[in-house]
Amino acid sequence: DFTYESKQDCYLCPQGQRLPRSSSDRRKGVTIYRAPATVCKRCPVKPQCTKGRYGQVIQRLPFQDVLDRAGCYVETEGY
């Protein structure tokens, strides 16, 4: 799983590599985070992570933190 680091505004991959903010897509309303292709190409777990030729890309919605919290509630026993 990829983890969002709000203070650094980046994602961390399961191998600890940073995916910094790369760009945004105003039409879709998302921020795009991209791993450097050179890092992904050398990664031993790339086949389990992404099929992308140039590395992992994550699109984050402006309200993604709310969706993430809601997803955690679903995993609780009381839910």
Side-chain angles (χ1 to χ4, degrees), residues 12-48:
L12 288 179
C13 82
Q15 297 294 305
Q17 297 295 325
R18 292 182 73 231
L19 282 77
R21 177 191 288 230
S22 172
S23 60
S24 61
D25 185 331
R26 293 177 195 212
R27 186 175 48 86
K28 291 181 181 178
V30 298
T31 302
I32 299 169
Y33 298 82
R34 184 181 304 272
T38 54
V39 171
C40 285
K41 286 181 181 179
R42 292 186 308 227
C43 183
V45 297
K46 181 183 182 268
Q48 292 86 27

Side-chain angles (χ1 to χ4, degrees), residues 30-79:
V30 298
T31 302
I32 299 169
Y33 298 82
R34 184 181 304 272
T38 54
V39 171
C40 285
K41 286 181 181 179
R42 292 186 308 227
C43 183
V45 297
K46 181 183 182 268
Q48 292 86 27
C49 175
T50 181
K51 295 182 185 351
R53 218 169 121 182
Y54 302 108
Q56 181 65 274
V57 176
I58 296 176
Q59 296 183 9
R60 184 175 178 84
L61 295 164
F63 49 86
Q64 188 68 50
D65 56 330
V66 175
L67 293 174
D68 293 343
R69 275 196 312 256
C72 290
Y73 296 145
V74 172
E75 296 172 2
T76 62
E77 189 175 318
Y79 189 79

